Amino acid sequence: MTNYPTVLWDLDGTIVNSSPGVFDSFRKTFETLGLPVLTDEQMLPFMGPPLTITFKSLGFDDDLVQECLRTYRDFYLNHGGALNAHIYDGVLETLNKSQQAGIINSLATSKAEVGTKLVGDHFDFLKYFDVLGTASNDEKRNTKGKVITFAIEELKKINANLDNLILIGDRIHDVEGAREHGIKVCLVKWGFGNEAEWGKADYLVESAEELQDLLGI
């Protein structure tokens, strides 16, 4: 018997290492708009938060934020950025095992629906999910808390067991979103988090095998 009947999954940093394409799309956005180009290390904090929050954190006004969003999305969605990524070792096997064990799997990602489906179709992992809890394409549903709210609403529609939910993620945003809903959270060490963030989680795993043990599959 599995430990959790229903599991929420973050995407970037948990299932997919999307940083090559994300960083490249940020660089091309900055270059196109004549803005200072940051290093990969400087862009590490960009992995996790919604794009709007990231651009605002750079001190950009609303008009420039919107221009950045349009430019970034063009590079990311239309010029190969989304597919410049790779799946973390053992994660698809874990998703397959969880599905075979009868677990209801839902995404809970701040990546917009269009980008999620683009990446999911390319790497063929959407088949493991009963619910696609994503950010909305219009940015109105973009925080982790809002995404989890949406995922839970969709899970209720399929009568999923929500008594013992857990979120699998990699960043502090996953912890904060989970806490908003009173659910447990496990952070994976192969993503973009750090020790301070890991310390906020209920569970911490270093490998897909450890994650499988936690889920009881």
Side-chain angles (χ1 to χ4, degrees), residues 88-166:
Y88 290 108
D89 291 343
V91 176
L92 294 192
E93 178 186 4
T94 303
L95 283 167
N96 182 48
K97 283 187 174 182
S98 69
Q99 185 181 63
Q100 294 302 314
I103 289 175
I104 299 296
N105 291 310
S106 170
L107 279 174
T109 173
S110 297
K111 186 188 288 294
E113 181 183 8
V114 61
T116 298
K117 289 184 174 179
L118 184 64
V119 175
D121 287 339
H122 179 77
F123 290 106
D124 195 28
F125 60 73
L126 297 182
K127 61 188 178 186
Y128 299 118
F129 291 96
D130 301 276
V131 167
L132 299 184
T134 73
S136 58
N137 294 330
D138 61 8
E139 285 281 311
K140 291 182 179 178
R141 182 179 69 245
N142 60 358
T143 66
K144 185 64 67 165
K146 290 179 180 179
V147 165
I148 293 174
T149 297
F150 173 71
I152 289 174
E153 289 172 352
E154 294 299 300
L155 286 164
K156 287 178 179 176
K157 293 178 182 178
I158 60 172
N159 298 313
N161 185 340
L162 304 178
D163 290 340
N164 193 26
L165 270 178
I166 189 169

Side-chain angles (χ1 to χ4, degrees), residues 57-77:
S57 74
L58 296 173
F60 300 165
D61 62 28
D62 290 344
D63 289 342
L64 183 53
V65 167
Q66 292 305 312
E67 195 170 1
C68 286
L69 286 171
R70 287 191 294 270
T71 306
Y72 177 95
R73 287 173 178 153
D74 181 48
F75 282 117
Y76 188 75
L77 297 174

Side-chain angles (χ1 to χ4, degrees), residues 173-192:
H173 314 90
D174 299 303
V175 177
E176 292 168 348
R179 297 297 180 240
E180 285 182 37
H181 294 271
I183 63 178
K184 294 178 181 177
V185 58
C186 169
L187 294 186
V188 301
K189 292 184 74 172
W190 58 77
F192 301 105

